[in-house]
Every structure is written in C-alpha cells, then in structure tokens.
Amino acid sequence: MEWRIDDAPTGYEAALEVMEARAAAIRAGEAEELVWLLEHPPLYTAGTSAKPADLLVPDRFPVYRSGRGGQYTYHGPGQRVGYVMLDLKARGRDDVRAYVHDLEEWIIRTLARFNIRGERRTGRIGIWVDRGGGREDKIAAIGVRIRRWATLHGVALNVNPDLMHFSGIAPCGIREPHYGVTSLVDLGRRATMAQVDTALRAAFETVFGPTFDPAQTAGR
C-alpha cells in the first residue's frame, strides 16, 4: 500500500476526483492501494442518509454531496482525514462490516498511543470517548463507499479543529445534549499533526499490513 501525506489543504471536489480515479485503477489492477492523509478547508459533507433538517446553518460553509454512507459531517483545518483505497476482494475481505470494524480498530489503536480510550457504540457510527457523568463525545468519524470491492472515503480524526464549526450540523444526525464532539487537544493531548500521522501509520500497519512511502523509496 502506498502511504501519502498532503500538508497543504485539499479541496473536497479535487479529493473526490483523485479517489475515484485511484479506485478505478486499483480495480483494474493498474495501481497500488493507497492511504491518503490530508486536511480540507472548512466544509460540510452530506452522506447518502443525510437529512435536510440536520444542516442547521446552511450558509456557514460550502456543503458537498458525497457518495459515502452516513449523514452530515464537518471537515476542516486541524482534522486529519484519512482516505483509504483498498481492494477488498484481493484481500479476501469482501465483507463491508468487517472492513468498517477494521477502520474503527485503526482509530482505536491510534488513540491508544496518546493514552486515549476510543470506543465503539452500537447504533452510533464513529469512535467515542466517555467523558464521565453520562457524557460521550465523538473524536473520529467514519464514512465509506465500496464500489466493486474497491473502497473510497474513510476516517476523520479530530486533532485540533475548531469544535464550534460542528455546531452548524447535527453530526451524523445526533442531537442529544449528552453527546458531543471532542479532539486530542480538547482532551489535553497537545500532539502535532506529524505525531498523529506517525501514530496513524503505525496503527494502520498493525490492522491492514505494511505501507510504503514513494518519496522514501525513490531516495534509496
């Protein structure tokens, strides 16, 4: 698998074009699998189950329709988005639930490296942190699309985004006051994005297998 990191903000439509093209090439056996880490400028995306009423402030940021599953999600600076393009059929893992479980495990293991206990919740997509007193906050969102067993989209981990930006939507349709949104910095972990990237790669390889960086390979 190729491991790619883009430090400059990437527009959402441009990212979709790259993902679609790469997934098609993977299906055709013409490209390696790819994990692509990036940040987006502030925006909202609407998954296939998004409800208009859950877009609370329609004019706040650009809104993009997305082919991924799920409802409304925020992306923006300080959030590490991981787009994952794998060939599940070639991996012998043509099981959507198993794949989502593996994405969850990736994030849970990444958070553990910062001494944060991330947890799954039945009926609530993403990875959650128990804040005590009945409050739980989401720290990572997960949304996928699978076309002929090639995967698109992936995960979004909150490192240090402006959490107020989430107030323009009901994230994933959740409105209950005891469910919120958090980040590494909000939890007192002042990790840099580079440190998070290192943790993401190490955790990813324990779940999905080895990756390679083309820039490092070329320099050998």
Side-chain angles (χ1 to χ4, degrees), residues 72-129:
Y72 280 104
T73 300
Y74 167 76
H75 293 312
Q79 182 190 72
R80 187 49 106 197
V81 175
Y83 289 135
V84 184
M85 287 144 272
L86 303 181
D87 185 344
L88 296 185
K89 197 76 170 179
R91 288 171 165 266
R93 295 283 287 174
D94 50 346
D95 182 329
V96 176
R97 290 185 179 180
Y99 173 59
V100 172
H101 185 277
D102 286 346
L103 291 178
E104 293 169 340
E105 188 65 22
W106 173 28
I107 297 302
I108 288 170
R109 295 189 186 192
T110 299
L111 292 171
R113 293 171 181 268
F114 298 98
N115 295 315
I116 295 172
R117 182 173 179 175
E119 299 177 314
R120 300 174 178 88
R121 289 291 182 265
T122 301
R124 283 186 272 134
I125 301 299
I127 300 302
W128 295 78
V129 176

Side-chain angles (χ1 to χ4, degrees), residues 24 28-29 53 63 76 78 84 100 105-106 114 123 126 135 138 145 154-155 171 186 217 220:
V63 180
V84 184
V100 172
E105 188 65 22
W106 173 28
F114 298 98
R135 180 177 179 84
K138 178 185 278 193
R145 182 178 184 182
V155 305
D186 184 51
T217 303
R220 291 176 183 174

